[in-house]
Amino acid sequence: MSVLVVGSANTDILVRARRAPQPGETVLGGDAQVLPGGKGANQAVAAARAGAEVAFCGALGRDTFAPVVRQALTEAGIDLRYLRELDVPSGVALITISEDGENSITVASGANARLSADDLPERWDGVTHLLMQQEIPEATVLAAAQRTKAAGIKVLLNAAPARPLPAELWPLLDVLIVNEHELAQLSGAPEGQEEGAARSLLGRGLGRVIVTLGGRGSLAVDGEQVWRQPAHPVQVIDTTGAGDTFCGVLTAWLAGGAELAEALRAASVAGALACTRLGAQAAMPTHSEIEAALTGSAID
């Protein structure tokens, strides 16, 4: 394997409605769908579909939701030797998707909140890139970064959902991936000043910052260069899995030896393609679909 994803695994309960409800309001929606999700599992599936060899380290409960996630990961060809089963509820996400494709999400973390450093692999043979998110405990993220960095493995963190990062984590990160809102929370800079805000984070010791900007595309910043990737034009149906698709495909391309500009382009195109279908994992494109759509994309 080349990519190890350490992160969350949820079952998504998804409902389409005209709009998300306001506080105290009930909004009638369509039929509910029960789908595999969780940022960690989503990103693992995205990387696997993009052609990477992927292993997943996460936690499920022993309940009726767990088989939904396990089956999806198995069908994606992901190595599940590090998937733990705990005597607690599995993670569940409640998702409302509005007519314009935007989503609102409430997550019950369940087993994800109990994934500990003791659940991490003891050996890292064959792993070249570690990808993590923040739907698991901070201590687990830090322990994984420390152990893999010491083994010479590239460490990527999608800092979502946003929370302050411990000082000792910053210099362990080769790549930090955030959206514009997470960037503003981590940097303290106003939204709309992404390049300056990203540069300010580099001073904390990490290697590169990549910012996803929705319809404005994405950008990457390191100490010497800025890359800007325009958005790939699509008809948006559902944005639920777009960010996770971006992270998984970016990591898969980097693990395959691609330069950052090439990986950024592939991730941006893949994230856009994921918006054209309903759901998270079900919407993620294959390697061949990404390659076909890359024609005509550009980077500055």
Side-chain angles (χ1 to χ4, degrees):
M1 62 185 161
S2 59
V3 176
L4 174 64
V5 178
V6 176
S8 58
N10 293 328
T11 298
D12 293 345
I13 301 176
L14 184 151
V15 177
R16 293 187 66 87
R18 184 169 58 86
R19 57 177 175 80
Q22 300 296 315
E25 180 185 24
T26 297
V27 174
L28 296 179
D31 294 339
Q33 292 181 278
V34 179
L35 302 168
K39 297 193 73 63
N42 287 349
Q43 292 178 18
V45 169
R49 288 194 179 167
E53 296 183 26
V54 181
F56 177 67
C57 177
L60 296 172
R62 295 186 175 94
D63 54 24
T64 58
F65 290 119
V68 175
V69 177
R70 181 179 290 276
Q71 179 178 348
L73 293 171
T74 300
E75 290 177 353
I78 295 169
D79 184 342
L80 299 182
R81 74 181 79 176
Y82 309 123
L83 180 60
R84 315 305 186 194
E85 287 192 350
L86 307 178
D87 290 319
V88 297
S90 297
V92 176
L94 309 176
I95 304 173
T96 301
I97 302 174
S98 64
E99 288 180 345
D100 60 5
E102 293 300 321
N103 59 69
S104 59
I105 304 173
T106 301
V107 176
S109 296
N112 298 308
R114 279 81 163 184
L115 185 70
S116 72
D118 292 338
D119 296 314
L120 297 172
E122 295 181 0
R123 299 176 60 87
W124 309 93
D125 297 341
V127 177
T128 62
H129 290 71
L130 170 71
L131 175 60
M132 297 184 290
Q133 321 75 35
Q134 298 200 121
E135 288 183 338
I136 58 175
E138 177 185 287
T140 308
V141 171
L142 179 59
Q146 290 171 329
R147 297 176 193 180
T148 51
K149 192 71 172 181
I153 295 165
K154 298 293 185 182
V155 180
L156 295 87
L157 175 67
N158 174 214
R163 67 186 178 206
L165 303 185
E168 58 267 43
L169 179 60
W170 290 98
L172 301 175
L173 302 179
D174 293 283
V175 179
L176 175 72
I177 309 167
V178 290
N179 65 24
E180 54 199 307
H181 311 300
E182 294 151 359
L183 175 64
Q185 291 184 55
L186 288 173
S187 67
E191 292 186 23
Q193 300 180 14
E194 290 85 15
E195 183 177 334
R199 286 194 180 280
S200 73
L201 295 183
L202 294 176
R204 304 183 190 184
L206 73 163
R208 288 170 168 166
V209 179
I210 295 178
V211 187
T212 59
L213 301 169
R216 294 190 290 132
S218 57
L219 68 86
V221 179
D222 67 12
E224 300 178 353
Q225 192 171 352
V226 176
W227 296 262
R228 294 186 178 274
Q229 173 64 47
H232 184 70
V234 294
Q235 182 65 45
V236 174
I237 301 299
D238 175 15
T239 63
T240 302
D244 292 335
T245 300
F246 181 99
C247 295
V249 173
L250 179 86
T251 306
W253 244 252
L254 292 174
E259 296 295 330
L260 179 60
E262 182 184 355
L264 190 66
R265 184 181 305 118
S268 296
V269 166
L273 293 176
C275 293
T276 65
R277 304 167 185 165
L278 188 64
Q281 293 178 22
M284 293 172 174
T286 63
H287 185 274
S288 60
E289 289 173 324
I290 297 168
E291 289 284 7
L294 280 170
T295 303
S297 66
I299 192 167
D300 297 333

